[in-house]
Amino acid sequence: MQDAPLHADPATFEIVKNSLYKIAEEMRVVLAKTAYSPLLKSAGDFSCGVFDARGEMVAQGPDLPIHLGSMPDAVRAVVAAFGSDVHDGDVFIHNDPYFGGSHLPDVNVVRPSFSHGRLLGYACLRAHWPDIGSATPGSYGAVTEIFGEGLRLPPLRLISRGTLNVDLEKVIFANVRTPDERKGDLGAQLAATLRATERLKALAERYGAEQLIGTMAEVMNYSERLMRAMLAELPDGEGYFEDFCDGDGIADTPDGEDAPFWIRMLVTKTGDRVVVDFAGSDPQVKGPINAPLSVSASGVYCGLKTAVDPNSFIPPNSGCWRAIEVKAPKGTVVNAEFPAPVVYANHEISHRLADMVMGALASFWPNQVMACSQGTSAILTLGGLDPRSGRRYVSYETIKGGFGARPTKDGINVVASGISNTMNTPIEVLEMAFPVRIERYEINPDSGGAGQYRGGCGARRVWRMLDGANATGALCMERMTSPPFGLLGGKAGAAAVVTLTTPGGVTRRLPSKGAFSAPAGSVVDMVVPGSGGFGPVDKREPSLIGRDLLEGYVSQRAARESYGIADPGVLKAAAAAEDKA
Amino acid sequence: MAWRIGVDIGGTFTDVALIDDVSGDIGVAKVPTTPRNLAEGVLSALDMAMRRHGIAAADVGLLSHATTVVTNAILEEKGARAALITTRGFRDVLELRRSARADLYDLFQDAPATLIPRRRRFEITERIGADGTIVTPLADSEIDGLLAELKAARVQAVAVSLLFSFLNPRHEQRLGARLRAALPGVPVYLSSEVLPEIKEFERTSTTAVCAYVGPTLASYLERLQGAMRAKELPSLYVMASNGGILEATEAVAMPAMVVESGPAAGVVAAALVARQIGCPYLLSFDMGGTTAKASLIRDGQYETTPDYEVGGGASGNRWMHGTGHPIRVPVIDLAEVSAGGGSIAWVDRAGALRVGPKSAGADPGPVCYGRGGTEPTVTDCNLVLGYLDKGSLLAGDLPIDHAAAMGAITQRLAEPLRIDARAAAAAVIDVVNHAMAEALKIVSVQRGHDPRDFTLAAFGGAGPLHAAALASELGIARVLCPPIPGAFSALGLVSTDLKRDYVRTVYTNTAVADPAALEAAFAGLEREGATMLDRAGVRAERRRFERTVDARYERQSYELPIPVPPHVLDQAALGEMAQSFHDRHRQTYGHDNRSEPVQLVSIRVTAIGVIPPLPIRQRTMVQEAVHAVPTRRQAWFRGTGECTAAIYHRSRLAAGQMMEGPAVIESLESTILVPPAWLAKMTGDGFVVLTRFDRGNG
């Protein structure tokens, strides 16, 4: 297939390819501008894609790498469930990770596009709803079966030839908190997919359905060819990496401790293909941090794409991954079997795997990898009754840490890394929407791992529950006990720490996962992990240490302890003098 | 008061346009831009233009300027040593940004630059709550210590951005007064004055941009103003990104308003043309050597957008966050793509044809310039296809190497693609046209407008060459090529109004809003605008105030601008506003929700000092009876293959002359391509109008 010649007309190929990616981008604009929940409209927790009639992803929007591997399954699930019983004006909805979803809060809206009765393909918009039911606001409770995680929707026909299935809609909105907000979000998903299918139809009218469908196949072949060409130019090799996760949120010992579990990865690159084998990884766990295989694949793809194609030449679509094989034994944490709960795994395991790919590749591609990034989505959900309006609310935030250090550069402070690229919610928007006050949002000094190139620092964010606003909170974090690793001599970044201080002034550390009660006046203080350093610490340029001291990214104590600088004051003064010159 | 003069600094040339206030006759001058001392370049261009056209200082009624000083200071990181003061616990807001990265998979991407480094970001104890009440009073006792630190850091400007200052500015005002008193000569920018709007990062970023570029802009404008006074020329106006002009002192008070000065001028000129020729629906298309810009004009008016990033990578879609410094001021809604005559065409390793984003620029330039370029550019392709030739490239100053261009295209494109060289060149043109068509679609289709309802106005050195093909791609039937395409933007400078925007966040909805309170809020903004117009000496009959409101459904995060009915606000007016919002939402996004109240987030007033419009015309030199006789050369078009095209010189065309494609109309500044199935006509005002006469299956 990869040897087939390009389309006879190079201009048409390039134009149609670009148009398909523009369609995915336009979906993004429509969704963000019309959605209701801050998680979608401000933070951007969603992905858009254009798919062919078989459910292969032809173009993924510039959204979230987390959905690279699992988005195609979202449309394939609809194709598998409905076959040829798909009509103009239909819309499908589903969220079940055991039927092509990623975790229950990610709700897929899939809409077919037709031109003169011929099925061209599909538009799919996967959006993270801040709540999908379950016992915990935000649906992030530590439960032991998927039945406890919220409303499960296998692939269903929400709209049939333009007519809404009102009964289905009622079931959905009866099972989620803040249904009014969800209606706005679903409306935005419908609008964005409608825009995309209209654009596809216009392309078919312009170039002919045959030509469009042929070009869609070629766009995927094109990505495959590029991926294989880039792989072939890199050295062959084999790398092993193992790492442990903090736990699954379910107590494993009588005193309530959560036991860690291990993931083991062997990456083998031969010629123009890569095999990633998870043999030896731990069996699936009780709590909701079990990854369906497609979620694991997303993490692997994200890490490999960054390493193989560091300048982003290859358009992301299903073709990219034909050269990559992911093998994982069934029933392990990276290939979960029904009815294991999964909600945390979507981001926590895929974050982990993207970082681990870098660790495994470091032995044979030392110039194409980065040290471990924050490695967690650092999620805090809060929910309850807003005393200012009397309305129920659910807040969902993901806080950023460090972006790993590179072979030639420091990491980046507090920016989305790896499989994530959501935005923060502005403090002023958050406080107007929910009964909380942010008391601190800042860069946490000394959290970037030391090295020739320093890891990026993580953030610290502090929430206070307003008077009269008793809340139920839930955390979903990793890297509290397993700090982000450094590479090739670089040190680990700082681990995550979250504390809860009650109105009575008692402070305790919160476990990395699960619900907790946050009464009015209590304070949640979250320190997000920094990232690992790269290269030996003693090779760090002293003037860079001086600059970090001047900016306060590194303290004098850390300069002494981590970098072995006898008198940091001298370096700092030198940096200050240069600044004033 | 006979002449208006506009001076537009570009990357390569500084253009001067002169218009006779009475006749509308146009003059042009062009001098090389002097990057080290931009003011010098402006003054010498002005001198040259006035000498050439025999204009005395007393004959100049209006002098207006588009400057790149602000953008350059940011791109070259040569702004002031600025400081930022924030609420305690929040000094990193500027660096934390919105926390998304610009490129998903780029291993080596850099963190976006921060205009004010952490060492000059300070905090003060205070807090305003989400309802505007004071949670923690401002710690006045900390101010002396803060002043000592600012002095020790020898700061040249200060930005102050406290949380929720858009709801309650008192803390900022009190702190600002102390800073201004203690730091004479150091400009202090308060976020509640610069941008009283929600979202702390965007407000802080806008305020930081002001502090970073303020001192540079002030000294540049002072130098120019001094020179103008010495020459007894009138006081200088500056083009703002919103398409209006501002007094120099207003620009210094709010430097974020002048970031897109130059590109705005071109769109303003296009809007002027739209009104003049009675063609109110125009898509403006400006293409030069490295970038192409598209903008939409509706009812003779351009549109502005409140979201913009300065100093980021060029992006076709301004929605893409993360590379520059966000400023929340109205900027003319432009879409920009890295596509120009210098864009390099190449075949990637999977065998696909690509154009750009690399450009050969001015050095080495296209292969055909023979200055060492080896990679085929868009210009080389235009040459090989017969659209350009020796005469129309660089005005014949340099020998053009046709064979070298052909060789590069054959070797680097045609052979790997296994097609004929001219087919390869045509494919390059198709691809670059498509990229530019995408920019035009962003400002039209994505905003809910059908490009087929518009006329395309093409200018810039390369715009008229690609315009007809772009029009065909978008289904546009008419293309307008105005006079002086090369210096067309400078015309916009002298044909626009004084204009400044004022904004206030109100947060109410149409169901509960008190019309009287809203009316009072609008009136307050109008008073601010009136003060600005007083200072500029604008007479009452020349004043206009426009009201709009940013509206959305309550739980959305992005607003749509809605006009406010032009009478005192009452209950009925609120209903009208809700209605317009539902309509606009449906038009833009394809659905609405009429059962929901409409939230009014911010109110806006644009204060306008009207400057009488001008006709733009360039008289044709030739009597109508003596139609130019064309020469001929071979050209290649998709569909027809090789054919003979008629070649005209624009300066020798008579009014009313018709030319049928395939034809090429050449002039010193720019070449117009008339493809087969298009018809060109020279108008009496010096416009060339192209129409498609074959609307078959195109």
mmCIF file of all heavy atoms in Angstrom, chain B residues 507-526:
data_model
loop_
_atom_site.group_PDB
_atom_site.id
_atom_site.type_symbol
_atom_site.label_atom_id
_atom_site.label_comp_id
_atom_site.label_asym_id
_atom_site.label_seq_id
_atom_site.Cartn_x
_atom_site.Cartn_y
_atom_site.Cartn_z
ATOM 1 N N TYR B 507 -21.757 42.581 33.076
ATOM 2 C CA TYR B 507 -22.320 41.345 33.603
ATOM 3 C C TYR B 507 -23.769 41.449 34.046
ATOM 4 O O TYR B 507 -24.079 41.520 35.225
ATOM 5 C CB TYR B 507 -21.488 40.839 34.794
ATOM 6 C CG TYR B 507 -20.509 39.811 34.343
ATOM 7 C CD1 TYR B 507 -19.153 40.110 34.256
ATOM 8 C CD2 TYR B 507 -20.949 38.553 33.963
ATOM 9 C CE1 TYR B 507 -18.252 39.170 33.809
ATOM 10 C CE2 TYR B 507 -20.052 37.615 33.510
ATOM 11 C CZ TYR B 507 -18.699 37.922 33.437
ATOM 12 O OH TYR B 507 -17.817 37.002 32.991
ATOM 13 N N THR B 508 -24.654 41.471 33.104
ATOM 14 C CA THR B 508 -26.068 41.429 33.450
ATOM 15 C C THR B 508 -26.742 40.634 32.349
ATOM 16 O O THR B 508 -26.054 40.119 31.469
ATOM 17 C CB THR B 508 -26.632 42.859 33.587
ATOM 18 O OG1 THR B 508 -28.005 42.785 33.916
ATOM 19 C CG2 THR B 508 -26.450 43.664 32.310
ATOM 20 N N ASN B 509 -28.046 40.459 32.395
ATOM 21 C CA ASN B 509 -28.680 39.826 31.245
ATOM 22 C C ASN B 509 -29.952 40.568 30.856
ATOM 23 O O ASN B 509 -30.479 41.374 31.627
ATOM 24 C CB ASN B 509 -28.889 38.319 31.463
ATOM 25 C CG ASN B 509 -30.023 38.014 32.413
ATOM 26 O OD1 ASN B 509 -31.126 38.534 32.252
ATOM 27 N ND2 ASN B 509 -29.753 37.190 33.407
ATOM 28 N N THR B 510 -30.410 40.266 29.658
ATOM 29 C CA THR B 510 -31.493 41.066 29.089
ATOM 30 C C THR B 510 -32.799 40.897 29.866
ATOM 31 O O THR B 510 -33.686 41.728 29.751
ATOM 32 C CB THR B 510 -31.736 40.682 27.614
ATOM 33 O OG1 THR B 510 -31.824 39.257 27.524
ATOM 34 C CG2 THR B 510 -30.615 41.169 26.733
ATOM 35 N N ALA B 511 -32.900 39.826 30.663
ATOM 36 C CA ALA B 511 -34.128 39.620 31.432
ATOM 37 C C ALA B 511 -34.173 40.512 32.675
ATOM 38 O O ALA B 511 -35.245 40.934 33.105
ATOM 39 C CB ALA B 511 -34.254 38.154 31.829
ATOM 40 N N VAL B 512 -33.021 40.785 33.264
ATOM 41 C CA VAL B 512 -33.028 41.508 34.538
ATOM 42 C C VAL B 512 -32.371 42.889 34.479
ATOM 43 O O VAL B 512 -32.438 43.645 35.435
ATOM 44 C CB VAL B 512 -32.310 40.689 35.649
ATOM 45 C CG1 VAL B 512 -32.952 39.320 35.800
ATOM 46 C CG2 VAL B 512 -30.825 40.559 35.365
ATOM 47 N N ALA B 513 -31.711 43.209 33.373
ATOM 48 C CA ALA B 513 -30.928 44.444 33.324
ATOM 49 C C ALA B 513 -31.820 45.665 33.555
ATOM 50 O O ALA B 513 -32.975 45.705 33.129
ATOM 51 C CB ALA B 513 -30.229 44.567 31.979
ATOM 52 N N ASP B 514 -31.260 46.649 34.251
ATOM 53 C CA ASP B 514 -31.947 47.925 34.449
ATOM 54 C C ASP B 514 -31.536 48.847 33.300
ATOM 55 O O ASP B 514 -30.379 49.249 33.217
ATOM 56 C CB ASP B 514 -31.524 48.501 35.804
ATOM 57 C CG ASP B 514 -32.026 49.932 35.985
ATOM 58 O OD1 ASP B 514 -32.840 50.392 35.154
ATOM 59 O OD2 ASP B 514 -31.587 50.576 36.954
ATOM 60 N N PRO B 515 -32.474 49.154 32.409
ATOM 61 C CA PRO B 515 -32.091 49.937 31.228
ATOM 62 C C PRO B 515 -31.468 51.290 31.615
ATOM 63 O O PRO B 515 -30.537 51.749 30.951
ATOM 64 C CB PRO B 515 -33.414 50.157 30.483
ATOM 65 C CG PRO B 515 -34.390 49.190 31.064
ATOM 66 C CD PRO B 515 -33.901 48.804 32.414
ATOM 67 N N ALA B 516 -31.967 51.894 32.710
ATOM 68 C CA ALA B 516 -31.435 53.208 33.101
ATOM 69 C C ALA B 516 -29.974 53.093 33.523
ATOM 70 O O ALA B 516 -29.146 53.947 33.174
ATOM 71 C CB ALA B 516 -32.276 53.789 34.228
ATOM 72 N N ALA B 517 -29.638 52.021 34.278
ATOM 73 C CA ALA B 517 -28.257 51.851 34.724
ATOM 74 C C ALA B 517 -27.340 51.609 33.527
ATOM 75 O O ALA B 517 -26.221 52.132 33.459
ATOM 76 C CB ALA B 517 -28.164 50.678 35.698
ATOM 77 N N LEU B 518 -27.848 50.830 32.575
ATOM 78 C CA LEU B 518 -27.063 50.541 31.378
ATOM 79 C C LEU B 518 -26.842 51.822 30.571
ATOM 80 O O LEU B 518 -25.741 52.087 30.069
ATOM 81 C CB LEU B 518 -27.820 49.498 30.548
ATOM 82 C CG LEU B 518 -27.017 48.437 29.820
ATOM 83 C CD1 LEU B 518 -25.983 47.777 30.707
ATOM 84 C CD2 LEU B 518 -27.960 47.384 29.246
ATOM 85 N N GLU B 519 -27.908 52.603 30.465
ATOM 86 C CA GLU B 519 -27.819 53.881 29.760
ATOM 87 C C GLU B 519 -26.759 54.769 30.415
ATOM 88 O O GLU B 519 -25.929 55.397 29.744
ATOM 89 C CB GLU B 519 -29.190 54.573 29.775
ATOM 90 C CG GLU B 519 -29.224 55.964 29.157
ATOM 91 C CD GLU B 519 -28.928 55.976 27.649
ATOM 92 O OE1 GLU B 519 -29.296 55.015 26.955
ATOM 93 O OE2 GLU B 519 -28.299 56.954 27.193
ATOM 94 N N ALA B 520 -26.746 54.776 31.755
ATOM 95 C CA ALA B 520 -25.777 55.602 32.467
ATOM 96 C C ALA B 520 -24.355 55.101 32.214
ATOM 97 O O ALA B 520 -23.420 55.898 32.063
ATOM 98 C CB ALA B 520 -26.082 55.597 33.965
ATOM 99 N N ALA B 521 -24.190 53.792 32.163
ATOM 100 C CA ALA B 521 -22.853 53.230 31.919
ATOM 101 C C ALA B 521 -22.362 53.619 30.519
ATOM 102 O O ALA B 521 -21.200 54.011 30.333
ATOM 103 C CB ALA B 521 -22.877 51.712 32.071
ATOM 104 N N PHE B 522 -23.272 53.515 29.534
ATOM 105 C CA PHE B 522 -22.899 53.950 28.180
ATOM 106 C C PHE B 522 -22.521 55.428 28.175
ATOM 107 O O PHE B 522 -21.539 55.844 27.565
ATOM 108 C CB PHE B 522 -24.065 53.716 27.211
ATOM 109 C CG PHE B 522 -24.068 52.351 26.575
ATOM 110 C CD1 PHE B 522 -25.108 51.454 26.799
ATOM 111 C CD2 PHE B 522 -23.023 51.957 25.741
ATOM 112 C CE1 PHE B 522 -25.111 50.195 26.203
ATOM 113 C CE2 PHE B 522 -23.028 50.701 25.139
ATOM 114 C CZ PHE B 522 -24.072 49.815 25.375
ATOM 115 N N ALA B 523 -23.333 56.230 28.877
ATOM 116 C CA ALA B 523 -23.087 57.670 28.878
ATOM 117 C C ALA B 523 -21.729 57.977 29.501
ATOM 118 O O ALA B 523 -21.015 58.880 29.043
ATOM 119 C CB ALA B 523 -24.208 58.388 29.639
ATOM 120 N N GLY B 524 -21.352 57.195 30.521
ATOM 121 C CA GLY B 524 -20.050 57.401 31.159
ATOM 122 C C GLY B 524 -18.916 57.174 30.157
ATOM 123 O O GLY B 524 -17.964 57.962 30.080
ATOM 124 N N LEU B 525 -19.026 56.097 29.372
ATOM 125 C CA LEU B 525 -17.991 55.817 28.365
ATOM 126 C C LEU B 525 -17.976 56.924 27.310
ATOM 127 O O LEU B 525 -16.923 57.327 26.823
ATOM 128 C CB LEU B 525 -18.239 54.458 27.703
ATOM 129 C CG LEU B 525 -18.084 53.222 28.587
ATOM 130 C CD1 LEU B 525 -18.264 51.954 27.758
ATOM 131 C CD2 LEU B 525 -16.723 53.194 29.261
ATOM 132 N N GLU B 526 -19.167 57.400 26.964
ATOM 133 C CA GLU B 526 -19.227 58.463 25.945
ATOM 134 C C GLU B 526 -18.577 59.749 26.447
ATOM 135 O O GLU B 526 -17.960 60.486 25.676
ATOM 136 C CB GLU B 526 -20.683 58.696 25.523
ATOM 137 C CG GLU B 526 -21.153 57.585 24.582
ATOM 138 C CD GLU B 526 -22.666 57.525 24.371
ATOM 139 O OE1 GLU B 526 -23.382 58.324 25.006
ATOM 140 O OE2 GLU B 526 -23.098 56.670 23.587
#
